Amino acid sequence: MRNHGHFQELIPIALRSIPYILQSHVFKAYCALENLYAERPHWSQQTWEYCTEIIRTDEPKVQGIIAPKLMEIDEIVDPTSGRDFGPDWILGRGLMPLSYWAMRQKYEEIGFADLFQQYLNKALDHPKYLGHEISVLAGNWQFYNDVLSSDEASERMQLFLQRFTEFAVTTFDSGNDTVFDHPSIDATPSETEILHEALSNPGFFGHNVLAFVWSQRIQSIMDEEQYKASLHNLTVMNRWHSFGEAPKQVNPLDVDWTESMLDERFERYFADGPTNIHQITLADALLWVWNHHPEYRRLCAANIVCFTNGVSPK
């Protein structure tokens, strides 16, 4: 991804944005917006203002560090049993707000790179509905690297850790693990075949495409077994049928778009599509497909048309 810091004024807003459904998408959206601008700076000012307004208003905001006095505690001990309720015990049970303290303890002990790997292994354990466990997790990693990796002692890092805590607790440790019957996968397809399946069955607001693209973006920090697991999980996502219904298919357009047509249709996608933070993240993912897989440009174009008309294929 390419981050030129064009939208730096959004960083404090992103760091104070909290989820109102399950997971916050704002870090992923900020990185996606910077990437879109780096790739397509000639888009209209109206489009950029529209996107920044989504990041400013899509999610509720907090003023600063939550429960700052809690962060000053050295340890949490049961006075009756003398048991030390350490960070792993607290995080494993999703206890809030104690998990804010626990995550900070883990970060100070092992650093964010190792902390991320622990949650990456949890994410790859099995796929979940919409694939947020991989796409949002990867967005957090990208935001850390683009914005915070050289500024780890700052208040911004502490705000980020609290947002990461909210994501981790909601996604892995608080009972929100949406269970669905996984289809049996005899053999994992190739990367390009998985992408084709995702573009043909993108799901709600293109989440299958989002999961694929963001898994590719963190491939370099996965070992071989982790990456194999990610491809298997993406295949499960693509082939799962919601509520037993066959997925709605997106078929490639029968015409080729020029670069100028692509720009025109993307601007229409933002102006006329359903207003949602996923407009930013999906546009970035589809532009990645357009650039990296020209053989799928007609399918990519079909997805842009599809999500200009609604939040899912009809």
Side-chain angles (χ1 to χ4, degrees), residues 123-124 126-131 133-134 180-203 207-213 215-216 226-242 247 249:
L124 297 174
H126 65 282
K128 303 182 183 186
Y129 180 58
L130 296 180
E133 78 282 0
I134 195 68
F180 56 88
D181 293 330
H182 292 175
S184 177
I185 306 299
D186 296 327
T188 303
S190 68
E191 292 176 7
T192 54
E193 290 171 326
I194 292 172
L195 176 57
H196 185 273
E197 289 189 22
L199 291 165
S200 301
N201 174 29
H207 274 78
N208 292 345
V209 181
L210 287 167
F212 178 89
V213 170
S215 69
Q216 292 289 300
Q226 287 175 321
Y227 192 60
K228 285 181 179 178
S230 75
L231 295 179
H232 173 84
N233 290 358
L234 291 168
T235 304
V236 171
M237 285 184 58
N238 288 338
R239 298 182 184 180
W240 176 64
H241 294 185
S242 176
Q249 293 291 309

Side-chain angles (χ1 to χ4, degrees), residues 1-9 11 27-39 142-148:
M1 297 189 73
R2 298 165 60 192
N3 185 341
H4 295 163
H6 186 79
F7 300 100
Q8 288 189 68
E9 77 279 3
I11 292 173
F27 292 145
K28 182 173 65 173
Y30 168 79
C31 293
L33 184 59
E34 289 283 8
N35 196 52
L36 285 171
Y37 187 84
E39 296 282 346
Q142 192 71 49
F143 186 89
Y144 165 77
N145 277 283
D146 287 353
V147 176
L148 300 170

Side-chain angles (χ1 to χ4, degrees), residues 61-125:
K61 307 293 184 285
V62 295
Q63 289 188 339
I65 302 295
I66 296 174
K69 292 295 184 182
L70 180 62
M71 301 297 105
E72 300 173 5
I73 297 174
D74 292 327
E75 61 180 358
I76 297 175
V77 178
D78 178 359
T80 303
S81 67
R83 181 177 180 182
D84 180 0
F85 293 102
D88 289 325
W89 191 92
I90 292 169
L91 286 167
R93 287 155 180 80
L95 301 180
M96 293 295 286
L98 290 183
S99 286
Y100 289 130
W101 173 85
M103 189 67 79
R104 180 166 169 177
Q105 294 292 311
K106 292 285 291 182
Y107 163 73
E108 292 178 351
E109 176 188 350
I110 65 176
F112 189 71
D114 286 348
L115 188 59
F116 179 86
Q117 282 290 330
Q118 290 187 4
Y119 281 100
L120 177 58
N121 285 328
K122 287 189 176 188
L124 297 174
D125 181 61

Side-chain angles (χ1 to χ4, degrees), residues 148-202:
L148 300 170
S149 59
S150 61
D151 195 21
E152 298 206 30
S154 67
E155 183 187 55
R156 298 198 307 178
M157 187 67 198
Q158 302 309 316
L159 287 165
F160 172 74
L161 284 174
Q162 291 208 331
R163 305 293 81 78
F164 185 77
T165 302
E166 291 152 4
F167 162 73
V169 167
T170 300
T171 307
F172 302 110
D173 299 309
S174 65
N176 281 316
D177 185 3
T178 304
V179 177
F180 56 88
D181 293 330
H182 292 175
S184 177
I185 306 299
D186 296 327
T188 303
S190 68
E191 292 176 7
T192 54
E193 290 171 326
I194 292 172
L195 176 57
H196 185 273
E197 289 189 22
L199 291 165
S200 301
N201 174 29

Side-chain angles (χ1 to χ4, degrees), residues 9-72:
E9 77 279 3
L10 294 176
I11 292 173
I13 295 167
L15 288 166
R16 290 166 173 79
S17 296
I18 58 174
Y20 64 90
I21 299 178
L22 286 177
Q23 296 97 341
S24 170
H25 296 267
V26 70
F27 292 145
K28 182 173 65 173
Y30 168 79
C31 293
L33 184 59
E34 289 283 8
N35 196 52
L36 285 171
Y37 187 84
E39 296 282 346
R40 248 47 187 190
H42 52 274
W43 285 357
S44 70
Q45 185 63 24
Q46 183 179 1
T47 293
W48 302 123
E49 290 175 356
Y50 173 82
C51 290
T52 57
E53 185 64 15
I54 288 178
I55 291 179
R56 289 180 184 278
T57 62
D58 185 72
E59 297 176 337
K61 307 293 184 285
V62 295
Q63 289 188 339
I65 302 295
I66 296 174
K69 292 295 184 182
L70 180 62
M71 301 297 105
E72 300 173 5

